[in-house]
Amino acid sequence: MAATAVLAALRGFFGRFRWRPQAPALAGGVRGAARSAAAGRPDYDLLVIGGGSGGLACAKEAAQLGKKVAVVDYVEPSPRGTRWGVGGTCVNVGCIPKKLMHHAALLGGMIRDAPLYGWGVPQQVPHDWSKMAEAVQNYVKSLNWGHRVQLQERKVSYFNMKASFVDEHVVRGVTKGGKETLLSAKHIVIATGGRPRYPTEIEGALEHGITSDDIFWLKESPGKTLVVGGSYVALECAGFLTGLGLDTTVMIRSIPLRGFDQQMSALVTDYMASHGTRFLRGCTVVSVKRLLDSQLQVTWKDLASGQEGMDTFNTVLWAVGRVAETRNLDLEKAGVNTNPKSKKILVDAREATSVPHIYAIGDTAEGRPELTPTAIMAGRLLAQRLCGQSKDLMDYDNVPTTVFTPLEYGCVGLSEEAAVARHGADHVEVYHAYYKPLEFTVAERDASQCYIKMVCLRKPPKPVLGLHFLGPNAGEVTQGFALGIKCGASYAQVMRTVGIHPTCAEEVTKLRITKRSGMDPTVTGC
């Protein structure tokens, strides 16, 4: 109700900001725009293609620093017809709605804990998906409005159009109705992000499945759900679906959380399995068929035995990777090079492409972390360099992140495997501990998977190479220690840091036992 009221107020207050495609007069069409750019009279100092987190951060920063800026942004509806407003994946179909639904699931666990803390709460409390979804969607829409207003305030021109290159300085924008507009700019930033991949080689995958582009905008509960994939998106979605009381199965072809520390990944899935999520490992979907009762019949194959299995679900959610949104940009007309396989744009340390005045940031750039905060910072730093305010480059080392599974996993720096591969096992020391959050004690929760490890170089001063934390509020814990690791903290410095008692984070400052020692790392006492 409150979110609905806020959204209504925003609509009323900002009603004057009606978003219309802006069409500057460019006599002579493509040639006129090209001549204007060649004559040193481009329409804009900076043109950003993409209205996600990175693109908007870059555009706003440049405009704040006095540049004439435009954003060209268009969201193609998902195959299921889901559409959303400005703000990109994070705001609309990623971080924000994901974290809110994760929190909704955690609240369910707190309700189950409440009687042990003296609260007279009924144990069979139903969850209303529709009510939750409406509240989450209304909040997302308020963020869409906020972005639009900020662009207006900074005098950034916004074009709700599909963009493609005409040449290295000119971009064509096409509205939903087919109207074309040509825009020229001195500098162009590509920040189009990515979209979920459908495994179209599987029968029925596209016709009957959904992705993370859809799950957060469902008005009704997805019911019994099969989540296909072992990515963080797959595990996060499966985690909150299970937490909301839905029958949820995760099918993983190979390993979960590829690219993350695999000991931590195993603990994440162990916790999920012990709390009701079913896992089908080493399996791949063969087909998805809709039955007469509207249920989905899924047939899969066990890759080890070759045997087939079958079950019915209400929803099949594909989380098998993402694809860069570059295919329709006509990059070849501007001379921008991409990776032939991933279709991501090749960039250097300055985010520059093969064309010096064209840049790419965020998920569309090859070799960059697919994380909102890195895209935002890269965009801001790029804008500052283009405006002559700074020479600082984005540093992609020691970027912290958190996987918002039911038991959250936060990490920064190298995994244990990566540290050993880079420095050799004899030169790496791992300090670790199993601990029990105080909140778990009275509630009698199992803390078997609550675990911390700090990966260090063995030679003094033992610089910290990576920190991995599995437990409640992992993102909050990891964010704090990330600053120290970014500044080159050593093991000794962490040990000289006074912990805040009683917290889970203080357990990091008490890591004394090494894996090498073989001693039991279970924390006892308070």
Side-chain angles (χ1 to χ4, degrees), residues 447-501:
S448 301
Q449 290 85 25
C450 292
Y451 178 72
I452 307 168
K453 71 174 171 183
M454 184 160 37
V455 183
C456 306
L457 279 179
R458 196 176 180 188
K459 183 179 179 180
K462 298 184 180 180
V464 179
L465 302 175
L467 176 66
H468 302 267
F469 180 97
L470 190 57
N473 306 303
E476 313 298 334
V477 173
T478 307
Q479 182 70 79
F481 285 102
L483 173 61
I485 294 172
K486 191 74 173 177
C487 293
S490 67
Y491 170 75
Q493 288 172 323
V494 176
M495 292 305 101
R496 288 198 299 269
T497 300
V498 177
I500 300 172
H501 187 69

Side-chain angles (χ1 to χ4, degrees), residues 40 69 101 114 198 251 276 385 417 472:
V69 182
M101 291 191 178
Y198 270 91
M251 183 179 295
R385 292 196 302 275
E417 297 94 335

Side-chain angles (χ1 to χ4, degrees), residues 100-119:
L100 290 173
M101 291 191 178
H102 167 64
H103 183 64
L106 293 182
L107 286 173
M110 294 177 190
I111 291 171
R112 290 188 290 276
D113 290 348
L116 291 167
Y117 281 95
W119 290 95

Side-chain angles (χ1 to χ4, degrees), residues 161-245:
M161 300 178 177
K162 300 178 185 179
S164 61
F165 280 90
V166 174
D167 61 36
E168 62 180 27
H169 279 287
V170 179
V171 169
R172 174 186 289 108
V174 181
T175 67
K176 183 179 178 182
K179 183 178 179 180
E180 291 191 7
T181 298
L182 297 174
L183 306 167
S184 61
K186 182 179 179 181
H187 298 285
I188 299 174
V189 174
I190 304 168
T192 47
R195 298 291 288 269
R197 185 180 78 83
Y198 270 91
T200 52
E201 69 278 6
I202 296 174
E203 179 188 350
L206 183 62
E207 297 87 342
H208 306 307
I210 67 171
T211 68
S212 57
D213 276 359
D214 309 294
I215 186 71
F216 306 110
W217 291 88
L218 295 179
K219 296 186 182 301
E220 303 296 332
S221 170
K224 182 181 178 182
T225 302
L226 172 66
V227 179
V228 183
S231 65
Y232 71 89
V233 174
L235 298 188
E236 288 176 337
C237 289
F240 71 68
L241 290 173
T242 301
L244 295 174

